[in-house]
Amino acid sequence: MKKSLMTLIFSVFLIMFMTGCEKTYLSCSKVFTDTEDLKIYETIKLGYKRTKLVNSNIYYDYQFKTDNIDVRTLKTAMELECEEYKGKKGVTCIVREEEGELHFELMLEVQELNDDTKELFSEMLEHGSYMESKEELSKEYTCK
């Protein structure tokens, strides 16, 4: 009896491990722009459950090197872009200012998107499997 219980528990854990109950994330980043005044980092983070893309996120971090850029105007423009996505199910857009830097996030929950929204964000949703995406993105980005 004890042996069969242990075998059952081991089998359950093995099945959970092999089926991938957890999400796997691929995070790839690069310096998007680097000028005298501004440095922009771009990060793409893709979430997979098994082989299916379930999250597609893009982040931009703006670091200002000088005072030559009007941060308020740039932040307002980003906030206006986020306003366009308000009310779209499965889309989250955030702009925040932190210690003189701007941070922009656009996050998609793939299973919650309707067809029109999928078409709008088709570029963010065109990624294949984890390995295909890693191979393709590694050509331009540093991935981990």
Side-chain angles (χ1 to χ4, degrees):
M1 177 78 175
K2 189 174 182 179
K3 186 176 181 182
S4 13
L5 180 62
M6 291 302 288
T7 304
L8 177 64
I9 292 172
F10 177 76
S11 298
V12 169
F13 282 114
L14 183 63
I15 290 170
M16 286 176 57
F17 177 75
M18 294 189 70
T19 58
C21 294
E22 297 293 320
K23 288 183 187 174
T24 304
Y25 288 95
L26 174 63
S27 182
C28 302
S29 58
K30 72 176 183 179
V31 174
F32 187 71
T33 301
D34 192 2
T35 66
E36 293 176 5
D37 299 323
L38 176 68
K39 189 171 193 174
I40 304 172
Y41 294 93
E42 177 184 31
T43 302
I44 295 173
K45 186 173 182 181
L46 305 173
Y48 291 90
K49 190 160 189 174
R50 298 186 187 152
T51 59
K52 186 177 179 183
L53 180 68
V54 293
N55 304 93
S56 183
N57 307 329
I58 191 161
Y59 309 96
Y60 290 99
D61 290 302
Y62 295 76
Q63 294 181 344
F64 302 99
K65 298 178 182 179
T66 66
D67 293 334
N68 294 340
I69 297 174
D70 185 0
V71 177
R72 288 179 193 247
T73 302
L74 185 57
K75 183 179 179 188
T76 301
M78 289 180 195
E79 289 171 338
L80 285 173
E81 182 174 349
C82 284
E83 285 293 320
E84 292 179 30
Y85 309 133
K86 259 195 176 164
K88 293 193 182 299
K89 190 174 179 183
V91 180
T92 305
C93 188
I94 300 169
V95 176
R96 66 178 178 264
E97 191 172 351
E98 299 172 347
E99 299 178 19
E101 296 181 3
L102 279 179
H103 179 75
F104 176 86
E105 298 180 24
L106 181 58
M107 300 168 287
L108 305 177
E109 290 288 333
V110 178
Q111 63 270 23
E112 295 181 20
L113 303 176
N114 64 33
D115 290 338
D116 291 337
T117 307
K118 285 180 182 178
E119 188 175 320
L120 177 64
F121 296 109
S122 61
E123 188 175 324
M124 287 179 68
L125 301 172
E126 67 186 11
H127 301 285
S129 70
Y130 178 94
M131 291 308 293
E132 290 170 347
S133 297
K134 185 174 184 178
E135 184 179 319
E136 187 62 32
L137 290 170
S138 291
K139 295 175 184 175
E140 293 183 51
Y141 296 82
T142 301
C143 296
K144 53 182 175 177

